[in-house]
Amino acid sequence: MRHIPVIVVAGTHSGCGKTTLASGLMAALAARGLAVQPFKVGPDFIDPTHHSAICGRTSRNLDPFMMGEAGVRETFVRATAGADIAVVEGAMGLFDGLEGTDTASTAHVAKILDAPVLLVVDAGGASRSVHAMIRGYAGFDPAVRVAGTILNRIGSPRHLAMIEETKSLPVYGGIPRRTDLAVESRHLGLAMAAETGMMARFGAVVEETCDLSGIIDLARSAPPLPAPAGIPGLPEAEVRIGVARDAAFCFYYADNLDRLVRAGAEPVFFSPMTDRLPDADALYLGGGYPELHAEALSSSRCREDVRSAVDDGMPVYAECGGLVYLTERLTTGEGDHPMAGVLPAATEMTGRIQALGYVEARVAGAAPVLAPGSAFRGHEFHYSRLDCARDARFALELLRGRGIDGGRDGLIAQNAVGQYTHAYFPEGFAERLVEAAGAYRRT
């Protein structure tokens, strides 16, 4: 068994200040010299970048839909090795799960970890009524231990005193309104951590206004979890897999990259905006913001390198932004931008969400990096759409989700496949990509 203090920071609803408070708590704990292991509930890619920058440890996603309950526990226990405390930032409202159920909600994760929940409540415009909301959340599911609250957007000391006249759960802090510490948003969420250091600055606010020692004691009340089976030593790298990672391609699940390493791959990170294609045996192109960097991507010689590599038979796996990059062109408000020209489709950015939600997929077509008949789960969130050639071939049949054309995903060209789905790699997926890379290397 391994005991690690853990606290789940949940919100009553989206926009209540949960992300800012969770990040501020991480920063305050780190400032006290603690090794803080951050986590994020759900398939979010952006909030974890802030966590990682603040804590100096890679933030991990915890998602029971994609990972399964055992996978959540395993990732949690493995990632907390060497940490003093874990902070889990929730998603949406505490009880908001898949299609109105408990599945994959913050409450679901809290129950899997048997962790205490610190509820962030937006107290703006209310006083005694706040306790009616707190008591509703605390009593809604007896299996969820809502152990305390942080009151956000407090207008004044008198406002906080009025709320504290009535008792419900212990209050661990009252955060004043701070419009000067807002983080800019864009169409897929907040700005990435590399673009702003604002979240870390909230640590001083948490230290000043919250009972940090009390929160640490609350985190210590979490019971120990079973330790995972021993991790075998990492194999010697058999292949090199080029991984696009820059401002245009920045959406990756940390567990996926770890699985590639454990399968025998050496990730070689590069920027398609500024670098030539590295010496690699396969490519992994993640999601991100190619639309914000379309001019740089189109003017870089890397797109020609990628096309030549695919023509040569190199296996390529691409998700969302990577899919867009592999198409023939990307149309934005600034015009048409040539892309790699690998997949028989053109991409257009739209003014509204084209798909958002969980995905279940089955491999129904031939693709070198996807085992026929295999299944995986993931998530999609994009504002673009593809216009595909009439004879376009697809690798994936979707049981849930929209994909490229409302039921199919995974556009194929030679040994390349591009899909809107951000997949959480199932068992065997990384090994198959490494195997395909090795076959290409031998030729």
Side-chain angles (χ1 to χ4, degrees), residues 194-272:
E195 302 167 283
T196 174
M198 195 69 74
M199 287 294 191
R201 290 174 56 189
F202 213 81
V205 177
V206 170
E207 178 70 55
E208 179 183 348
T209 61
C210 294
D211 178 8
L212 202 57
S213 296
I215 293 172
I216 293 171
D217 287 341
L218 184 60
R220 288 175 177 150
S221 70
L225 291 174
I231 303 174
L234 294 179
E236 183 176 345
E238 303 171 3
V239 299
R240 291 163 56 90
I241 295 183
V243 181
R245 189 161 71 177
D246 57 16
F249 304 99
C250 45
F251 292 172
Y252 295 94
Y253 295 125
D255 282 0
N256 285 353
L257 297 176
D258 286 350
R259 288 188 175 192
L260 288 176
V261 172
R262 291 201 297 269
E266 175 192 352
V268 181
F269 298 104
F270 72 103
S271 170

Side-chain angles (χ1 to χ4, degrees), residues 19-374:
T19 296
T20 305
L21 265 295
S23 298
L25 177 59
M26 294 172 191
L29 292 169
R32 288 198 173 189
L34 297 176
V36 182
Q37 175 56 49
F39 295 94
K40 172 67 181 181
V41 173
D44 190 293
F45 291 107
I46 299 173
D47 292 351
T49 68
H50 294 279
H51 301 168
S52 300
I54 291 167
C55 300
R57 295 173 66 102
T58 301
S59 183
R60 305 278 171 160
N61 297 84
L62 299 176
D63 190 305
F65 176 81
M66 296 194 301
M67 307 164 70
E69 293 189 356
V72 168
R73 282 189 289 268
E74 180 182 15
T75 289
F76 178 85
V77 176
R78 289 190 191 280
T80 52
D84 298 315
I85 191 169
V87 178
V88 181
E89 182 197 335
M92 302 174 63
L94 172 58
F95 298 105
D96 297 325
L98 177 65
E99 295 184 349
T101 70
D102 177 63
T103 300
S105 66
T106 303
H108 189 185
V109 171
K111 287 188 284 189
I112 292 170
L113 301 178
D114 199 8
V117 173
L118 193 60
L119 185 68
V120 178
V121 178
D122 184 350
S127 58
R128 188 167 182 263
S129 297
V130 165
H131 296 283
M133 182 161 46
I134 292 172
R135 287 175 177 173
Y137 276 82
F140 184 74
D141 183 347
V144 179
R145 184 157 56 103
V146 182
T149 67
I150 291 182
L151 305 176
N152 195 27
R153 300 192 178 106
I154 295 296
S156 66
R158 175 58 182 156
H159 182 202
L160 181 59
M162 289 168 60
I163 296 174
E164 291 183 326
E165 281 292 320
T166 302
K167 300 295 183 183
S168 50
L169 291 179
V171 175
Y172 286 88
I175 307 295
R177 294 190 184 97
R178 291 295 299 265
T179 57
D180 59 316
L181 293 181
V183 177
E184 180 184 357
S185 296
R186 60 163 69 96
H187 55 279
L188 295 182
L190 297 175
M192 302 290 285
E195 302 167 283
T196 174
M198 195 69 74
M199 287 294 191
R201 290 174 56 189
F202 213 81
V205 177
V206 170
E207 178 70 55
E208 179 183 348
T209 61
C210 294
D211 178 8
L212 202 57
S213 296
I215 293 172
I216 293 171
D217 287 341
L218 184 60
R220 288 175 177 150
S221 70
L225 291 174
I231 303 174
L234 294 179
E236 183 176 345
E238 303 171 3
V239 299
R240 291 163 56 90
I241 295 183
V243 181
R245 189 161 71 177
D246 57 16
F249 304 99
C250 45
F251 292 172
Y252 295 94
Y253 295 125
D255 282 0
N256 285 353
L257 297 176
D258 286 350
R259 288 188 175 192
L260 288 176
V261 172
R262 291 201 297 269
E266 175 192 352
V268 181
F269 298 104
F270 72 103
S271 170
M273 292 193 292
T274 60
D275 300 332
R276 299 296 297 266
L277 191 67
D279 176 19
D281 308 305
L283 294 181
Y284 178 16
L285 308 174
Y289 298 100
E291 67 277 11
L292 299 182
H293 305 279
E295 184 59 38
L297 290 170
S298 65
S299 61
S300 172
R301 292 281 301 279
C302 191
R303 67 184 182 87
E304 300 169 7
D305 296 343
V306 170
R307 184 167 61 247
S308 295
V310 172
D311 288 341
D312 191 47
M314 179 182 285
V316 179
Y317 173 70
E319 297 177 333
C320 203
L323 160 68
V324 170
Y325 180 64
L326 292 183
T327 62
E328 295 167 356
R329 67 179 180 276
L330 169 59
T331 300
T332 68
E334 285 72 46
D336 290 346
H337 306 274
M339 293 288 108
V342 169
L343 299 176
T347 307
E348 178 187 8
M349 297 303 301
T350 66
R352 60 188 179 87
I353 293 176
Q354 297 298 308
L356 171 61
Y358 284 115
V359 173
E360 290 183 84
R362 183 180 67 86
V363 179
V369 300
L370 302 173
S374 63

